[in-house]
Amino acid sequence: MKSSTAKTPDTSRRSERSRTAILQASMELVGEVGYNKLTIEAIASRAGVGKQTIYRWWPSKAAVLLDAFTATVDSDEYANGIPDSGDLEADLKAVLRATVDEFTDPSFEAPYRALAIAGAADAELAAQFAERLTGPGFAVYERRLRAAQEAGQVDPDLDLSLATELLLGPFQQRWMTYYRPLTYEFVDDLVDMALRAFAPR
Amino acid sequence: MKSSTAKTPDTSRRSERSRTAILQASMELVGEVGYNKLTIEAIASRAGVGKQTIYRWWPSKAAVLLDAFTATVDSDEYANGIPDSGDLEADLKAVLRATVDEFTDPSFEAPYRALAIAGAADAELAAQFAERLTGPGFAVYERRLRAAQEAGQVDPDLDLSLATELLLGPFQQRWMTYYRPLTYEFVDDLVDMALRAFAPR
């Protein structure tokens, strides 16, 4: 079996295994020690690779983590978007309930919180998150709202970008500040209220 | 002039001056060095008081900062609430435009961000913020919305607590993540969209 790349299949497989191990190690570690104390050395040690392997592929720990998170989300909702059953309310509630599950799962929540805190303390890092994570994540909602708009279910003049902020901002606020618990009831009520703002006049 | 407290007026005035200096120093310093690197020693030094003076009144740097922020907000909007001109849209836009000014002023923004980041990293500290700052801050909006509800301008069944989250969550999300700029246009559009969700059916 011939490889179309310069590398042999064996090298590619080994590289892919190392890459996966590095991304997973970076997620685990940032959840355990926080962003500030995370080091390339510790990631290399946990992943069982040499430091130089990481530096060959990524310029910084921020770059490793961004790839790690992007890989997580690429593999599911970003690629497929929010399912369109024709029932906007049901679809939004389903995706937000799944998001509640995700944000109450420590294996996802702890690293994501560490990354969010690092971004809140560093506008340049935050701009990278916005481009790589928040922007694409919000775009998934905008696409589902656009489909509903084309189906005449939401106001034809609705600003879909602001509408997405209206839907996701309260979730983010509860999460980041621990203001109130993230529950199915909360996201159901949030969708109900937001849809009243989105409805055709 | 007799003092009703055990302290003489002179001691009271000196205490009040020290207290004000300590609160102000804590706000300045947390904006400069962040929450983690803030020390009681540095606050004492900046305020021109002894460390023991601080420890006599507050158990921790978190307690100092919470008092400092509470003093800031107590003195204006918390005490008086959102003005009620009878025009909910105008009143909400006015208070949120003032909030944009506040959050784009580094002397307020930097310490508040440092405190928010500390809370995001520490659920127990976050619970104190929620009780002392976020809760009372949100309650001010809930009161204004209740007045509008009583005037028949918003839905009689509207959940005022969730409505406040709908209004303030997107602001908080933009702010904490630097996702997009905090502008008058943003808050005006946010109020317009939220009011459609709040309207009587």
Side-chain angles (χ1 to χ4, degrees), chain A residues 113 117 120-121 126 155 161-162 165-166 169-170 172-174 176-180 189 193 196-197 199 201, chain B residues 113 117 120-121 126 138 155 161-162 165-166 169-170 172-174 176-180 189 193 196-197 199 201:
Chain A
R113 177 175 296 276
I117 289 171
D155 192 282
S161 173
L162 184 65
E165 292 186 69
L166 198 78
Q172 160 95 18
Q173 198 271 332
R174 279 199 179 201
M176 270 302 273
T177 68
Y178 296 100
Y179 181 54
R180 279 175 187 162
D189 291 348
M193 195 179 279
R196 291 179 60 183
R201 295 180 210 228
Chain B
R113 178 176 294 277
I117 289 171
F138 278 38
D155 191 283
S161 173
L162 185 64
E165 292 187 68
L166 198 78
Q172 159 94 18
Q173 198 271 332
R174 277 199 181 203
M176 272 299 276
T177 68
Y178 296 100
Y179 181 56
R180 279 176 187 160
D189 291 346
M193 196 179 281
R196 292 180 57 184
R201 295 179 209 225

Side-chain angles (χ1 to χ4, degrees), chain B residues 8 21 34 40 57 60 66-67 92 98 117 120-121 126 133 135 140 145 161 190:
Chain B
T8 67
I40 294 286
W57 292 329
S60 66
L66 277 169
D67 276 358
L92 290 177
I117 289 171
L133 286 169
V140 164
L145 289 172
S161 173
L190 183 59

Side-chain angles (χ1 to χ4, degrees), chain A residues 65-83 95 99 102-103 108 112 115 128-144 164 168 172, chain B residues 173 179:
Chain A
L65 278 170
L66 277 169
D67 276 357
F69 275 95
T70 310
T72 312
V73 287
D74 273 354
S75 63
D76 40 42
E77 64 252 44
Y78 284 19
N80 303 315
I82 296 172
V95 69
T99 310
E102 209 172 39
F103 278 75
F108 173 88
Y112 199 65
L115 202 62
Q128 293 180 47
F129 296 171
E131 193 190 324
R132 295 281 303 277
L133 285 169
T134 318
F138 278 38
V140 164
Y141 283 84
E142 283 182 45
R143 280 203 300 276
R144 182 64 190 83
T164 300
L168 299 182
Q172 160 95 18
Chain B
Q173 198 271 332
Y179 181 56

Side-chain angles (χ1 to χ4, degrees), chain B residues 43-174:
Chain B
I43 297 171
S45 166
R46 173 81 55 106
V49 302
K51 232 169 41 166
Q52 288 316 312
T53 304
I54 299 184
Y55 283 122
R56 198 184 323 138
W57 292 329
W58 293 278
S60 66
K61 66 181 178 184
V64 181
L65 279 170
L66 277 169
D67 276 358
F69 275 95
T70 310
T72 312
V73 288
D74 273 354
S75 62
D76 40 43
E77 65 251 41
Y78 284 20
N80 302 315
I82 296 171
D84 186 351
S85 72
D87 181 343
L88 180 63
E89 177 188 328
D91 292 348
L92 290 177
K93 286 179 178 176
V95 69
L96 281 169
R97 282 174 172 227
T99 310
V100 166
D101 292 343
E102 208 171 39
F103 278 74
T104 50
D105 170 2
S107 74
F108 173 88
E109 199 273 345
Y112 199 65
R113 178 176 294 277
L115 202 62
I117 289 171
D122 179 343
E124 203 183 314
L125 191 62
Q128 294 179 49
F129 296 170
E131 192 190 326
R132 295 279 305 274
L133 286 169
T134 318
F138 278 38
V140 164
Y141 283 84
E142 283 181 45
R143 280 203 299 277
R144 181 64 190 84
L145 289 172
R146 183 166 300 112
Q149 200 172 42
E150 285 161 2
Q153 295 159 351
V154 309
D155 191 283
D157 293 325
L158 186 72
D159 176 341
L160 301 179
S161 173
L162 185 64
T164 300
E165 292 187 68
L166 198 78
L167 200 54
L168 299 181
F171 187 105
Q172 159 94 18
Q173 198 271 332
R174 277 199 181 203

Side-chain angles (χ1 to χ4, degrees), chain A residues 6-196:
Chain A
K7 288 174 179 175
T8 67
D10 269 8
T11 310
S12 288
R13 265 200 296 275
R14 213 162 44 233
S15 291
E16 191 48 39
R17 264 203 310 273
S18 294
R19 189 172 177 276
T20 304
I22 291 162
L23 297 181
Q24 192 181 330
S26 73
M27 291 269 280
E28 289 171 11
L29 280 165
V30 77
E32 289 165 25
V33 305
Y35 182 80
N36 290 339
K37 289 181 184 161
L38 181 69
T39 63
I40 294 285
E41 286 76 3
I43 297 171
S45 167
R46 171 82 55 108
V49 303
K51 234 170 40 168
Q52 287 316 314
T53 303
I54 299 183
Y55 282 122
R56 198 183 323 140
W57 291 330
W58 291 280
S60 66
K61 66 181 179 184
V64 180
L65 278 170
L66 277 169
D67 276 357
F69 275 95
T70 310
T72 312
V73 287
D74 273 354
S75 63
D76 40 42
E77 64 252 44
Y78 284 19
N80 303 315
I82 296 172
D84 186 349
S85 72
D87 181 342
L88 180 63
E89 177 188 328
D91 292 349
L92 291 177
K93 286 179 178 176
V95 69
L96 282 169
R97 283 174 169 226
T99 310
V100 166
D101 292 342
E102 209 172 39
F103 278 75
T104 48
D105 170 1
S107 73
F108 173 88
E109 200 271 346
Y112 199 65
R113 177 175 296 276
L115 202 62
I117 289 171
D122 179 344
E124 202 182 316
L125 191 60
Q128 293 180 47
F129 296 171
E131 193 190 324
R132 295 281 303 277
L133 285 169
T134 318
F138 278 38
V140 164
Y141 283 84
E142 283 182 45
R143 280 203 300 276
R144 182 64 190 83
L145 289 172
R146 183 166 301 114
Q149 201 172 41
E150 285 162 3
Q153 295 159 350
V154 309
D155 192 282
D157 294 324
L158 186 72
D159 176 341
L160 301 180
S161 173
L162 184 65
T164 300
E165 292 186 69
L166 198 78
L167 200 54
L168 299 182
F171 186 104
Q172 160 95 18
Q173 198 271 332
R174 279 199 179 201
W175 173 59
M176 270 302 273
T177 68
Y178 296 100
Y179 181 54
R180 279 175 187 162
L182 296 172
T183 62
Y184 287 177
E185 194 191 356
F186 164 60
V187 293
D188 285 356
D189 291 348
L190 182 59
V191 169
D192 288 339
M193 195 179 279
L195 285 181
R196 291 179 60 183

